[in-house]
Amino acid sequence: MNPRLRDALPAVRGTYQEHAALRDIVWFRAGGPAEILFRPADEDDLRLFLASRPAALPVTVIGVGSNLLVRDGGIRGVVVRLPASFGRCVVEKDRLRAGAAALDANVARVAAGACVGGLEFLRGIPGTIGGAVRMNAGCYGREVRDVFVEAAAIDLNGNRLILGAEDISFSYRHCGAPEGLIFVEAVLQGVPESREAVRARMEALVSQREATQPVRAKTGGSTFKNPPAQKAWQLIDQAGCRGLMRGAAQVSPLHCNFLINTGAASAADIEQLGEEVRARVRAQSGIELEWEIQRVGVA
C-alpha cells in the first residue's frame, strides 16, 4: 500500500477504510483487499470525492459483488461502494425510480406491491440496479434495456449526467456508457397489472431459478455469455466440464455455467478453472466463450 495515498484523499462525510477485505463482500468469498474502500454519505459526497481526488488515482466501483471476481492481489487505488442510502425505490405511476444500490430483487418486490408488472424478471438477477444497468443484466428472455427509461450517473470529474437509452447503446450483456461513469439511479418502465398476476409470475421465476441454479453456493452467477444461437451451459456440458475442479473451485454439477467456491478457493483457482473450461469448449466445438463475470484487480 502507498502510505501517502490516504493523506492525499479529500475530506469526505462518508468513510474510508484501508486494506478492506473485499472477500467479505463479493459472493465468491475469494480475492484480495481494496487498497482504500470508500463509502460515500450521499450523492453530493460522491461528487465531491470525484471532483477533488488526485487525477491519477484509480477508481473502481463495486456493488454487492454478485457478478465479480476480485483477483488475489486485490484492487489498487480507491474502491467505491454505494451504501444503502443509494437504494431508495419510488413508484411513479407505472414507472419505478430506483437508486443504484437497490437490490434487483427488492425492486421487483416493490413493483409487484405497487401493481406494476414487467419488472418481475429482476427478481431472478442477483445484484443491484447499478450493476444491472452497467451490464444490461437479464434472465428468462428479458433484459434491462427492455424496461430502461433513463439513468443518472456521476462522471470522474464529479458531474451529474442524465442518460437515455440512446446514450447507453445497450446490447447483449453490455452497456455502451463510458467505463468511468458511476450510475446512481435508474428509471424503469413497467405496465399496470394486478398484484396477484405479477406475484404469481415472480414466484414461478424464483421456483425455476432455485431448481436449476446453485443459488445458495458461493458463486458469481452466470460465468460466460451465451454465444449467438448457443447456450453456454450446453457447450460446457458437451465438453465434459460438469463437476470439473481446480483446487476448491468447481464447475457446478447443477448448472454448468456457474463456477462455485466449494470451500477456500482462491480467486486464481476460480479464474484458472474458467480458463480451462474455455479451452475445453474451444477444443470440442471451436467456439470461444466470453467471460460474463467481471474480473478485476491484481493477480
Side-chain angles (χ1 to χ4, degrees), residues 193-273:
E193 200 167 358
S194 75
R195 183 180 293 109
E196 293 72 21
V198 177
R199 285 179 172 168
R201 287 200 303 273
M202 198 160 64
E203 289 170 6
L205 184 152
V206 170
S207 295
Q208 181 179 356
R209 180 169 176 259
E210 290 184 347
T212 59
Q213 299 178 9
V215 295
R216 309 200 187 285
K218 293 184 285 188
T219 184
S222 295
T223 305
F224 303 107
K225 299 178 183 180
N226 289 324
Q230 300 276 355
K231 295 292 186 184
W233 77 264
Q234 291 178 333
L235 295 169
I236 296 167
D237 203 15
Q238 291 164 5
C241 298
R242 185 181 293 269
L244 184 67
M245 296 193 73
R246 177 182 285 268
Q250 183 182 37
V251 177
S252 169
L254 179 62
H255 193 306
C256 292
N257 199 23
F258 283 69
L259 301 183
I260 58 177
N261 179 357
T262 64
S266 66
D269 289 336
I270 297 166
E271 186 167 14
Q272 289 165 13
L273 176 61

Side-chain angles (χ1 to χ4, degrees), residues 102-134:
L103 293 175
D104 299 327
N106 190 50
V107 172
R109 293 189 193 100
V110 170
C115 300
V116 176
L119 303 179
E120 54 273 9
F121 75 97
L122 292 169
R123 181 65 180 83
I125 301 174
T128 60
I129 287 296
V133 172
R134 171 54 69 184

Side-chain angles (χ1 to χ4, degrees), residues 12-18 20-22 24-25 36-42 45-46 49 62-63 78-86:
V12 294
R13 289 178 289 109
T15 61
Y16 292 125
Q17 181 183 353
E18 298 181 66
L22 296 179
D24 297 335
I25 296 173
I36 299 278
L37 179 65
F38 171 48
R39 295 181 176 91
D42 51 31
D45 199 35
L46 174 61
F49 165 78
I62 68 171
V78 172
V79 173
V80 176
R81 189 175 192 224
L82 303 182
S85 59
F86 285 79

Side-chain angles (χ1 to χ4, degrees), residues 21-52:
L22 296 179
R23 67 184 301 131
D24 297 335
I25 296 173
V26 299
W27 286 27
F28 269 125
R29 293 296 186 263
E35 191 170 6
I36 299 278
L37 179 65
F38 171 48
R39 295 181 176 91
D42 51 31
E43 188 177 314
D44 287 340
D45 199 35
L46 174 61
R47 293 180 65 186
L48 181 149
F49 165 78
L50 292 169
S52 307

